[in-house]
Each structure stands twice: as structure tokens, then as C-alpha cells.
Amino acid sequence: MHHGCPVLVYVQQADVFVDEEGARRVAESLFDKAAAAEFGLEGWKSLHELNPQSASQEAVDWVFLVDTLNFSFWSEREEQRYLVKYKGKTYSGYWSLCAAVNRALDEGIPITSASYFATMTLDQVRHVFRSDTEVPIPLIEERHWVLNESGTVLLEKFGGSFLTCVKMSEKSAQKLLRLVLENFPSYRDEAVFESKKVSFYKRAQILVADTWSVLEGKGDGFFDDISSLTIFADYRIPQVLVHLKAMMYSEELMKKLYEGTIFQSGDREEVEIRGCSIWCCALICRHLLQLYERKGQDMRGKINAVLLDYHLWDYARDHREEMKDVPFHRVRCIYY
Ligand SMILES: Nc1nc2c(c(CN[C@H]3C=C[C@H](O)[C@@H]3O)cn2[C@@H]2O[C@H](COP(=O)(O)O)[C@@H](O)[C@H]2O)c(=O)[nH]1
């Protein structure tokens, strides 16, 4: 028997855990809601006054512009936030972006036209996204860059409208996802985890989902594989999954989050948080479909990661107070 020295296997301590039992409980709590109209596609318009209410080409271009800029609204200090007043209401976070876009359109600025945002100057971007507090919108230079880049690609390759890109996808969500990733570099949201390439594609997937929603799942907006999309790994979904006890963080990670640690894109903790969120929601979806199956109901058209995501994200928005004890992870990036 050869007693060589023991091989020290360096196992990276995991910081994020999916709780199968917790995911099952969340699915059970959603059972009745999942059958309601708001949980379905219609909720995208009926629940959100700032979203386009039509299904026109302009509405699709609104979605493309907003999802190109749909990232990084969190502020260092909660009391000092970027806010936008629009039609008598004050909006924060993602909705402040939508309010600024609608404010610009009302002012006659063609902000959703590729021919405009392809050559927008930084000063024009500053004007359109000006804040109603002294806190400017985060990453204003990056927003200027992605607008010029995306607008130029739309003009050069898709006749100036994202609808052209949608038509080329031949009713496949995966094909549209590929077209977006091949043509719009700012949407390439990838990382390396334990020497394996992983992808989240949060903005690319939400762009496909919001296109499906704004076109009401009909005509050019009918995707036979829409259920193949995952949830959109942002900084709110993980927070609500931990709040609902479907996901857990290690003490070390919680400590870093409470201290307000700012992580970099691709950090191990960030990739674990985003990856586990996707897996956790896939489990919730699976449990929810099984609960309906046992009742003899096939809900595959009405329950998928997109609709679960929208519901959880809206829940997080409506339960800020209860969720304040669960920190969200902070990365300043253009991906989410
Ligand atoms: N996973 C997921 N992440 C989403 C959305 C949306 C907006 N979609 C709405 C629009 C139409 C539908 O009805 C949806 O309700 C924004 N975000 C991300 O959240 C963060 C901002 O959060 P807060 O600071 O609280 O505003 C930021 O990373 C942003 O990229 C979503 O739906 N799912």
C-alpha cells in the first residue's frame, strides 16, 4: 500500500444555494395567481402605463431602445437616486428610464428612431435622460456609446427598425436571440465560471420577451419557442428569490452584500448568484406546471420563465419595504 501524501483537492466554497423545498413552496403560493389574466401576456400592457399600448412598428422600436439601455439603475445610497418626473408622477429605477423616453417623445425628440440615436451626441443623451434630482442616470457615457453603436447597426443591417430583425427570426425566439447577439455587441452578457464559458444574455432575452409582449404574442410576435427563454438574471430577481426563501446566500456573501461590496462582472459570487437564480426559477416553473398537470390542466402556453420573471420582478417592485433586509448584489455594468 503506497501512502503518498494526500492530494489536497481545492474545492471552491459555494456561496449561493437553491432550496428545492423553498422553490416548491413559491410555486404553490403562485398557483392561483398563475391562472389570472395579469400573470399572462396581457399584464405587460395592462399593469404598466409607461409601456406602449399599441403593437405598431414604433412600439417595437420603443422596446428596442429601452432594452438597449435597460441596465444599472441602482444607486450607491438609496436616499440619493436618479428620478424622473413624468405626467405628475415620479419614477425610479427601470421606470425612470421609460419615463425619460416618453418625456422625450412628448417633447418631439425622435429618441426611438435609429436615425436619431445612431448619431446622438453625449450632450443630447444627457438632455434626454436628465434627472429630476441632483443624481444623474448611472453610466451616461456607456449609454451614449451603446445608443450610437446599436443605432448604426440597425441602420446598416436592418433598414433602421428592429421589426426587420424580428421578421428575419421566422417566429423563433432562439433565432431572434442569435440575431441580436451576432449583431449587437453590447448584448453579449457572458462569463467564465470554473474555466467554463457561461452566458446569461439578460438584455438579449428580455428584448425578445418584451418584443413578444408588445406584439401581444401575435403575427410577427408569435414565437413557437418562447418558453425556451430563461428568466432575466438582473439584480432584483435574486433579491426576491432570497426574500421568498427559494435561494440562500452563505454568511460570508451576506456580509459582503451588507457592506455594499461592489463586484465586477464575472466575479465568482456574481456568476453564482445569477446562475442559481436562473436554475431556481426553472424549478419554480417546473413545479407550477406539475401542480396544474395534476389538475389535468396543461398550462405550458401560460406559464413560462418569461411570465414568472415579469411576475417576480413586479412583486419585487411592489414589496420594496418588506424586502429591505435582503441586499441585492451591486455590479456597475451595461448587462443588467
Ligand atoms: N428580471 C427582470 N429584470 C428587469 C425587468 C425590467 C423591466 N421589465 C418590465 C417591463 C415590462 C414588464 O412588464 C416588466 O415588468 C427591468 N429589469 C432590470 O431590473 C433592474 C432595475 O430594477 P429596479 O431598480 O427595481 O427598477 C435592472 O437590472 C433592470 O435591467 C424585468 O421584467 N425582469
Side-chain angles (χ1 to χ4, degrees):
M1 180 76 157
H2 170 65
H3 291 283
C5 68
V7 172
L8 283 179
V9 177
Y10 178 62
V11 176
Q12 185 74 41
Q13 162 64 29
D15 279 302
V16 186
F17 310 90
V18 171
D19 182 332
E20 279 246 20
E21 207 27 55
R24 190 190 307 276
R25 271 196 305 275
V26 171
E28 281 153 13
S29 73
L30 292 176
F31 183 75
D32 295 329
K33 295 190 183 75
E38 299 78 52
F39 194 92
L41 198 49
E42 310 75 52
W44 195 89
K45 290 180 176 173
S46 65
L47 294 175
H48 302 300
E49 78 262 6
L50 293 183
N51 283 346
Q53 298 299 309
S54 79
S56 62
Q57 171 179 318
E58 288 70 27
V60 171
D61 286 335
W62 186 97
V63 160
F64 178 81
L65 173 88
V66 165
D67 281 333
T68 295
L69 296 171
N70 188 357
F71 54 82
S72 215
F73 303 105
W74 59 269
S75 45
E76 308 280 325
R77 281 183 304 288
E78 197 48 24
E79 63 283 356
Q80 309 237 318
R81 286 183 300 169
Y82 169 66
L83 298 175
V84 173
K85 283 199 188 81
Y86 179 65
K87 290 191 175 170
K89 278 181 79 173
T90 298
Y91 294 93
S92 67
Y94 166 78
W95 293 120
S96 57
L97 168 71
C98 299
V101 169
N102 292 351
R103 177 178 62 183
L105 290 171
D106 291 359
E107 290 171 356
I109 299 171
I111 182 66
T112 56
S113 302
S115 52
Y116 180 78
F117 61 82
T119 56
M120 259 180 115
T121 63
L122 179 55
D123 278 346
Q124 287 173 318
V125 175
R126 281 204 181 98
H127 172 69
V128 167
F129 298 103
R130 64 192 182 279
S131 174
D132 284 301
T133 68
E134 67 287 347
V135 182
I137 190 169
L139 297 181
I140 192 81
E141 286 85 3
E142 287 76 0
R143 294 181 200 276
H144 175 224
W145 165 251
V146 297
L147 281 176
N148 286 170
E149 179 187 81
S150 301
T152 303
V153 170
L154 268 185
L155 288 173
E156 288 175 357
K157 296 191 172 179
F158 302 106
S161 173
F162 185 61
L163 187 57
T164 308
C165 195
V166 176
K167 289 176 186 295
M168 286 164 70
S169 73
E170 291 165 336
K171 303 190 185 307
S172 162
Q174 289 302 322
K175 198 160 175 196
L176 182 53
L177 181 60
R178 288 285 136 227
L179 279 168
V180 171
L181 295 169
E182 278 155 17
N183 292 287
F184 299 95
S186 76
Y187 279 84
R188 293 176 195 153
D189 171 11
E190 301 162 345
V192 175
F193 184 71
E194 291 180 357
S195 67
K196 272 208 308 287
K197 185 193 147 208
V198 294
S199 50
F200 298 103
Y201 298 148
K202 182 261 175 195
R203 283 202 293 112
Q205 291 195 94
I206 204 171
L207 172 57
V208 176
D210 284 347
T211 300
W212 176 61
S213 302
V214 79
L215 290 174
E216 299 167 13
K218 293 181 295 210
D220 294 319
F222 173 83
F223 296 111
D224 47 28
D225 58 345
I226 192 72
S227 297
S228 67
L229 297 182
T230 72
I231 56 112
F232 321 121
D234 70 323
Y235 53 85
R236 289 294 178 205
I237 295 296
Q239 186 185 21
V240 72
L241 291 173
V242 172
H243 170 70
L244 294 174
K245 301 192 180 352
M247 199 162 85
M248 281 170 4
Y249 293 154
S250 68
E251 271 179 42
E252 295 82 359
L253 178 54
M254 277 307 259
K255 186 166 172 296
K256 287 178 187 171
L257 294 174
Y258 275 128
E259 287 164 356
T261 303
I262 291 187
F263 293 97
Q264 300 305 310
S265 274
D267 280 355
R268 187 178 54 77
E269 294 92 334
E270 185 223 15
V271 176
E272 276 193 46
I273 289 170
R274 300 181 80 197
C276 286
S277 299
I278 289 174
W279 174 240
C280 184
C281 288
L283 287 180
I284 293 169
C285 260
R286 186 191 299 172
H287 289 324
L288 207 41
L289 286 167
Q290 281 167 355
L291 288 174
Y292 274 97
E293 227 173 282
R294 274 187 223 132
K295 302 241 171 197
Q297 283 178 274
D298 176 358
M299 293 284 278
R300 275 174 298 174
K302 285 194 52 65
I303 294 170
N304 56 36
V306 171
L307 297 171
L308 172 64
D309 175 287
Y310 283 163
H311 176 81
L312 290 173
W313 190 85
D314 289 344
Y315 178 96
R317 176 53 66 140
D318 300 339
H319 296 78
R320 271 283 185 284
E321 199 43 38
E322 296 105 291
M323 284 174 48
K324 70 180 188 313
D325 296 339
V326 179
F328 60 83
H329 69 285
R330 295 165 172 217
V331 176
R332 195 57 88 194
C333 69
I334 65 167
Y335 300 113
Y336 61 96

